[in-house]
Amino acid sequence: MTGVPEYTSRRIFKTAVTSQNVVREVLQLMFVSEFLMRGEEVWLVSPWISNIVLLDNRAGGFDAINPEWRRREIRLVDVAIQILSAGGRVTVVSRPDEHNKRFLFRLGEAVREAGVGDLLTLIERDHLHTKGILTEHGLLLGSMNITYNGLELNDEFVEYDTDRASLAGARLAFETYRNDAS
């Protein structure tokens, strides 16, 4: 079709009362896309990270992805284990902060139970301020930490991008965290 613009990015200004659902829907889209068309690696980069709710499966809408999830809210640890169990890699970059220890402990337990520890990389950066989620098909980048406050309470600006060049650039930038940690 001619004359129809192809949009590859979306900017979202979120407050505690506006656009929360838009960010939740973008996160849901990102991870469901990853489940259906798995890429090599998912990056979770956030100074502060929590086991936030990513999918609402209380009505069973995501039973086809993983029937073992049952009718409940699906959290970040569940999503990470799903990706890892399908053979994808997950890299988490965060600060060495007390807040993150609870999430990282829960993730570590789930990874050990699932036997997929060789596909998970954890990197700590003292001065990390970058915040983003990168999958094979999308990049969510902006001011939002991957926390309840970031998703639900704080005023945030994020941009969702599907442009291949942007994704490749972010992948190269995020890869420096792994190289610096070696």
Side-chain angles (χ1 to χ4, degrees), residues 38-44 79-92 107 111-112 114-123 178:
R38 181 177 56 84
E40 279 186 43
E41 185 168 25
V42 172
W43 286 84
L44 305 171
V79 167
I81 294 302
Q82 182 72 23
I83 292 165
L84 293 164
S85 295
R89 297 190 56 77
V90 174
T91 298
V92 178
L107 179 60
V111 163
R112 279 187 293 285
V116 291
D118 56 325
L119 297 172
L120 175 68
T121 302
L122 302 176
I123 300 169
R178 184 185 340 270

Side-chain angles (χ1 to χ4, degrees), residues 5-182:
E6 183 179 322
Y7 297 102
T8 59
S9 69
R10 179 168 185 187
R11 292 181 180 96
I12 304 165
F13 297 92
K14 182 192 80 59
T15 70
V17 293
T18 63
S19 300
Q20 287 174 311
N21 287 338
V22 174
V23 174
R24 273 193 226 103
E25 289 168 3
V26 166
L27 288 168
Q28 180 176 294
L29 168 76
M30 289 181 77
F31 288 107
V32 169
S33 295
E34 186 63 23
F35 299 148
L36 297 175
M37 301 176 295
R38 181 177 56 84
E40 279 186 43
E41 185 168 25
V42 172
W43 286 84
L44 305 171
V45 179
S46 183
W48 294 279
I49 190 166
S50 304
N51 198 20
I52 60 170
V53 173
L54 290 176
L55 306 171
D56 186 349
N57 196 43
R58 292 178 291 187
F62 298 105
D63 283 353
I65 293 171
N66 185 339
E68 294 176 12
W69 280 343
R70 307 277 184 242
R71 305 283 169 97
R72 63 181 176 89
E73 293 176 320
I74 308 307
R75 296 184 170 273
L76 183 54
V77 166
D78 302 310
V79 167
I81 294 302
Q82 182 72 23
I83 292 165
L84 293 164
S85 295
R89 297 190 56 77
V90 174
T91 298
V92 178
V93 184
S94 64
R95 285 188 178 185
D97 187 88
E98 198 64 36
H99 170 89
N100 298 326
K101 286 184 181 178
R102 186 175 24 220
F103 168 75
L104 295 173
F105 178 78
R106 188 172 295 156
L107 179 60
E109 283 185 323
V111 163
R112 279 187 293 285
E113 185 177 306
V116 291
D118 56 325
L119 297 172
L120 175 68
T121 302
L122 302 176
I123 300 169
E124 292 185 330
R125 301 279 299 203
D126 287 326
H127 302 289
L128 181 69
H129 194 66
T130 303
K131 298 148 187 107
I133 299 172
L134 174 64
T135 69
E136 185 72 22
H137 310 287
L139 169 67
L140 185 71
L141 200 60
S143 65
M144 186 182 81
N145 283 296
I146 305 172
T147 63
Y148 175 83
N149 287 350
L151 188 59
E152 301 290 337
L153 301 176
N154 297 341
D155 292 354
E156 304 284 359
F157 168 77
V158 294
E159 185 169 356
Y160 178 65
D161 200 333
T162 59
D163 177 71
R164 288 285 167 213
S166 296
L167 300 181
R171 200 166 286 109
L172 287 173
F174 286 179
E175 195 64 44
T176 64
Y177 294 132
R178 184 185 340 270
N179 296 339
D180 292 349
S182 316

